[in-house]
Amino acid sequence: MIDPLRSELSVVIGRVSTEDGDRILETLASLDEQQGERICEVVLADRLGGAVSAEIARRYPHVKIIPCDPGMALPEMRTIALEASTAAIVAVTEDHCVPAPGWIGQILSAFESRPDVVAVGGCVENGVHDTGFDWATFLCEYSFFSPPVAEGETQILPGMNVAYRRSALAAVPRARLVEGFWETTVHPLLLAAGGRFESRNAIKMFHCKKFSVSLFTAQRFVYSRYFAGIRFGRGDVAKRLVATAASVALPPLLLWRMTKAASAKGLNKEFGRALPALAMLVVVWAFGEMVGYIAGPGDALARIE
């Protein structure tokens, strides 16, 4: 039995995936296999319940499961899990991501060797690549973080493969923790306060979600709407109109960025397989931003998984 009082690392996860929902069992298995001299606790905020939650409770009784309202947004779930955790270092991942062997130790070693950093993270490798669409869903989100990433000090860390000093998060107002994804709401605050981030390839996470075309397309739309919807205040009509017009240029710009990132990571072949789907997804991305600029975020944040 894992003693949470001995935990050096807390891992907080929100269970939200309506597809490939049992992937969380692989996440927990990987974390369990890494328990040894370095111990981590796992706190799971769960808005789904059901058979998978029951299986988690049966296999991993040491995991702290916090039932959440079905309509609760993921950032609030993460915040609740953070508040229920105890360790001085807090890692965040997602319910379809599988830590590479040694992930726990690499995170703790990074903080121990760099007492001046407030957050560490690493690379993200595609763990589901049967089809071109599998590659499209990965490259659309994580082409920049595909290995290798630049080692050392950085200002950009992946939101699902990141760990923080609890003391740094404690200085962030709760309203900022719950209002959006921490890479966009919390990271700028930490950097503005003089905090330093460290990136290491040894801190590796496998992204393993098998999306259907319909789910990923819908998720790409709602995330883009959320992102655009919160960029400007409601009174910034002129800025919203300009951004809406500029969104027309997004598809070729996004494809160019993805092409450049894939080439830099040696993924040209994989990018070629993904290109037909990516061409469709960047159009959805642009349309989502247009809607966000015009109509605001709506309930997009609560729909993101």
Side-chain angles (χ1 to χ4, degrees):
M1 186 69 174
I2 295 170
D3 181 1
L5 296 178
R6 292 179 54 215
S7 299
E8 298 177 77
L9 175 71
S10 297
V11 182
V12 301
I13 308 171
R15 195 167 94 78
V16 296
S17 289
T18 57
E19 291 184 355
D20 218 0
D22 58 355
R23 190 72 68 174
I24 181 66
L25 297 172
E26 295 181 29
T27 306
L28 299 177
S30 175
L31 292 172
D32 239 34
E33 290 165 3
Q34 295 181 42
Q35 303 279 10
E37 291 185 6
R38 315 305 297 262
I39 294 176
C40 82
E41 67 170 350
V42 181
V43 184
L44 182 69
D46 185 355
R47 75 182 187 195
L48 298 177
V52 173
S53 295
E55 185 65 11
I56 293 170
R58 186 186 71 81
R59 291 194 201 181
Y60 306 105
H62 53 277
V63 171
K64 186 183 297 183
I65 301 176
I66 304 174
C68 297
D69 185 89
M72 185 178 290
L74 183 53
E76 185 170 1
M77 295 171 65
R78 286 178 176 169
T79 302
I80 289 172
L82 166 68
E83 293 167 341
S85 66
T86 61
I89 305 299
V90 181
V92 177
T93 191
E94 296 178 351
D95 62 356
H96 52 273
C97 296
V98 180
W103 184 77
I104 294 173
Q106 290 293 341
I107 287 174
L108 293 173
S109 294
F111 279 109
E112 289 164 356
S113 64
R114 288 291 306 273
D116 57 326
V117 302
V118 299
V120 303
C123 62
V124 183
E125 190 162 317
N126 189 9
V128 176
H129 38 67
D130 299 326
T131 68
F133 189 76
D134 293 333
W135 274 108
T137 61
F138 175 77
L139 293 172
C140 192
E141 302 287 339
Y142 296 113
S143 55
F144 181 83
F145 295 109
S146 181
V149 294
E151 295 267 343
E153 192 162 335
T154 183
Q155 294 192 336
I156 304 174
L157 294 172
M160 35 66 86
N161 185 20
V162 62
Y164 309 90
R165 293 193 191 276
R166 181 179 297 276
S167 56
L169 292 178
V172 177
R174 193 178 192 277
R176 296 302 298 272
L177 292 170
V178 303
E179 71 181 353
F181 291 93
W182 293 356
E183 58 267 36
T184 57
T185 61
V186 174
H187 289 193
L189 291 180
L190 297 179
L191 291 168
R196 293 182 172 182
F197 294 175
E198 174 90 353
S199 179
R200 298 190 177 191
N201 283 287
I203 303 173
K204 180 186 288 189
M205 183 68 67
F206 291 93
H207 185 269
C208 297
K209 189 165 183 175
K210 183 81 171 179
F211 284 96
S212 67
V213 174
S214 60
L215 178 62
F216 192 81
T217 302
Q219 286 292 298
R220 183 64 268 170
F221 172 82
V222 295
Y223 190 88
S224 298
R225 178 176 179 177
Y226 153 76
F227 170 80
I230 65 170
R231 281 194 70 192
F232 306 113
R234 289 191 174 275
D236 295 325
V237 177
K239 291 181 180 179
R240 287 182 177 274
L241 289 175
V242 170
T244 300
S247 297
V248 175
L250 263 182
L253 176 62
L254 291 169
L255 276 180
W256 177 79
R257 287 177 178 172
M258 293 175 193
T259 302
K260 185 178 178 181
S263 179
K265 302 304 175 71
L267 296 174
N268 291 323
K269 179 180 178 182
E270 291 80 3
F271 182 83
R273 291 178 63 194
L275 184 56
L278 284 173
M280 178 268 292
L281 291 171
V282 294
V283 172
V284 173
W285 186 325
F287 181 60
E289 291 206 9
M290 288 181 184
V291 173
Y293 289 130
I294 293 170
D299 65 347
L301 184 59
R303 295 167 59 195
I304 293 172
E305 60 178 75

